[in-house]
DNA sequence: GGACACTTGTGAACCCGTGCACAAAGTTGC
DNA sequence: GCAACTTTGTGCACGGGTTCACAAGTGTCC
């Protein structure tokens, strides 16, 4: 269930504030969902609540962690150490949630050897070896679009069974491999779509107008 | 509709390969969706196809662009110029799709004045002024979680009506403001969840094992 | 010009996630 | 121990999105 991480984050916040038990109503509010939905989600894991009282924060945290697989460490390889790969490698949120950035790989030989986030960047040729030696099961693709399919194929062939794809490309993987996609431009385009509907493009600019304003403000 | 950018990307790929017309079946395949779904989506825009033939690639591209609002430029402010903000500012995919990074803002006075992606980083105090002067309607939040709500409130108060939030926090905005969220850790956690189900945690490691392997390979 | 092959556009069934509402269960106070 | 209150867990209905299947329209070939 895709909302479990959300609940976990809300619970962690409550735990830090010293809250011992929480009702579905309260927890739902801090996670931004409907309370009935939350109860239905939690009941799917088992009956971990107490009627008349609510849920014990620490206990529920542990149950969700176990369900998600957070009680184990997962090794991750990041392929493509451009701007985005860089940011991902340095992103602190991964390590604290059981994800270990085990390897960084780039196709550019000039990048190989460079140190990023305390790890040496390896050349793409070593990809398969690294996956096997480090027992990596999750791959993050931050390459240009044209390389994405090839990279995914190689990851899958080497044994990776979960891929998070940031490249703006449609990639196909065989059954049994999980593929999730995050497309930054698409997210903005969806916003722009709604924006246009809202105020009849009152805030949209021509390229010339935008450039002019930028000139005036930034000099 | 959230799939229009997807179709647009597929169409652009076809256009580059010199394809003039395409059937719903083919286009659906390259976008990774069902052909009936695609036809229904496109029929929502109007009857732009020809029975017995298919859709004219260039014409359809233009129609979708117009629908999404890509024929206009949108000014964007990025708040929080850490690793992620840096990567977003340098990400080439925005400019080519009608999004103009108009301003970069950070709360750290030491960052102000620094040049990132050809733009001077401004201090957070200037946020409201920049939004008005540059007529910014879209905000990207790449701050730490604890600052996210405050930043969003200020963006909305200054007139921003669409927000893309990368901070791992639940933020509330008033009605009429569009808010989309991208949570990198959550994406990985969902993958880990499925991963755990698949192979009974065969590939999961304890933190010790992972550290040991890392030592052997990188050390 | 007519038969045939192809493709769109859409009505209708279906599926799944969501939210309401309530019974079951537990707690508190007396 | 009993009544009143609180909260969970879930049956059920609703609605939006997805898919099937097919009629209607278009081009092609002879």
């Amino acid at each position: 269930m895709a909302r479990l991480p959300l609940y976990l984050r809300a619970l962690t916040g409550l735990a830090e504030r010293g809250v011992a038990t929480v009702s579905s109503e309260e927890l739902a509010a801090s996670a931004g969902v409907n309370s009935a939905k939350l109860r239905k989600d939690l009941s799917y894991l088992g009956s971990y609540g107490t009627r008349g009282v609510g849920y014990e924060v620490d206990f529920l945290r542990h149950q969700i962690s176990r369900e998600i697989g957070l009680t184990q460490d997962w090794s991750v390889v990041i392929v493509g150490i451009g701007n985005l790969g860089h940011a991902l490698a340095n992103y602190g949120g991964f390590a604290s949630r059981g994800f270990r950035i085990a390897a960084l790989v780039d196709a550019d030989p000039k990048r190989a050897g460079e140190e990023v986030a305390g790890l040496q960047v390896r050349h793409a040729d070593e990809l398969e070896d690294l996956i096997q030696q480090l027992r990596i099961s999750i791959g993050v693709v931050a390459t240009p679009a044209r390389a994405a399919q090839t990279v995914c194929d190689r990851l899958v062939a080497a044994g990776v069974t979960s891929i998070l794809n940031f490249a703006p490309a449609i990639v196909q993987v065989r059954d049994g491999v999980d593929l999730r996609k995050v497309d930054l431009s698409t997210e903005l385009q969806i916003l722009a779509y709604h924006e246009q509907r809202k105020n009849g493009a009152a805030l949209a600019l021509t390229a010339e107008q935008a450039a002019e304003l930028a000139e005036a403000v930034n000099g």
Side-chain angles (χ1 to χ4, degrees), chain A:
Chain A
M1 201 67 73
R3 281 184 300 269
L4 290 179
L6 203 69
Y7 302 155
L8 189 57
R9 201 192 303 285
L11 283 167
T12 303
L14 291 170
E16 281 167 3
R17 262 177 282 140
V19 180
T21 86
V22 66
S23 73
S24 63
E25 201 76 42
E26 295 170 292
L27 182 55
S30 47
V33 300
N34 181 290
S35 69
K37 197 195 306 193
L38 179 124
R39 287 200 298 277
K40 204 159 262 182
D41 286 345
L42 294 185
S43 75
Y44 176 76
L45 309 183
S47 276
Y48 293 142
T50 313
R51 293 170 192 234
V53 180
Y55 299 90
E56 201 185 329
V57 173
D58 279 336
F59 182 64
L60 189 55
R61 269 219 295 170
H62 181 257
Q63 293 302 329
I64 294 182
S65 294
R66 192 175 47 76
E67 181 74 13
I68 295 182
L70 274 190
T71 50
Q72 295 140 359
D73 266 33
W74 299 96
S75 290
V76 177
V77 58
I78 299 178
V79 185
I81 313 299
N83 284 309
L84 185 58
H86 232 90
L88 292 171
N90 280 301
Y91 182 50
F94 292 150
S96 64
R97 288 184 179 79
F99 297 102
R100 178 179 291 267
I101 310 291
L104 307 176
V105 167
D106 199 289
D108 185 353
K110 284 195 286 291
R111 274 238 159 71
E114 198 178 314
E115 187 164 320
V116 173
L119 220 55
Q120 270 207 354
V121 176
R122 303 303 193 94
H123 187 262
D125 290 345
E126 302 181 63
L127 182 59
E128 284 79 3
D129 287 344
L130 288 165
I131 289 171
Q132 276 166 27
Q133 287 171 33
L134 292 165
R135 297 175 59 190
I136 290 170
S137 53
I138 298 179
V140 173
V141 177
T143 65
R146 65 180 179 285
Q149 181 67 61
T150 309
V151 167
C152 287
D153 289 346
R154 287 180 60 187
L155 287 170
V156 171
V160 165
T161 45
S162 292
I163 295 176
L164 184 56
N165 178 30
F166 285 89
I170 317 290
V171 299
Q172 311 281 346
V173 293
R174 64 147 222 271
D175 272 10
V177 176
D178 277 301
L179 176 69
R180 290 187 69 85
K181 191 180 156 213
V182 177
D183 188 330
L184 306 176
S185 297
T186 297
E187 294 293 331
L188 273 187
Q189 282 181 12
I190 294 168
L191 283 178
Y193 172 79
H194 292 299
E195 190 69 21
Q196 179 172 253
R197 307 245 133 183
K198 267 187 294 199
N199 46 29
L203 282 166
L205 308 172
T206 64
E208 289 74 28
Q209 287 176 305
E212 216 169 281
L213 287 170
E215 181 66 24
V217 175
N218 292 306

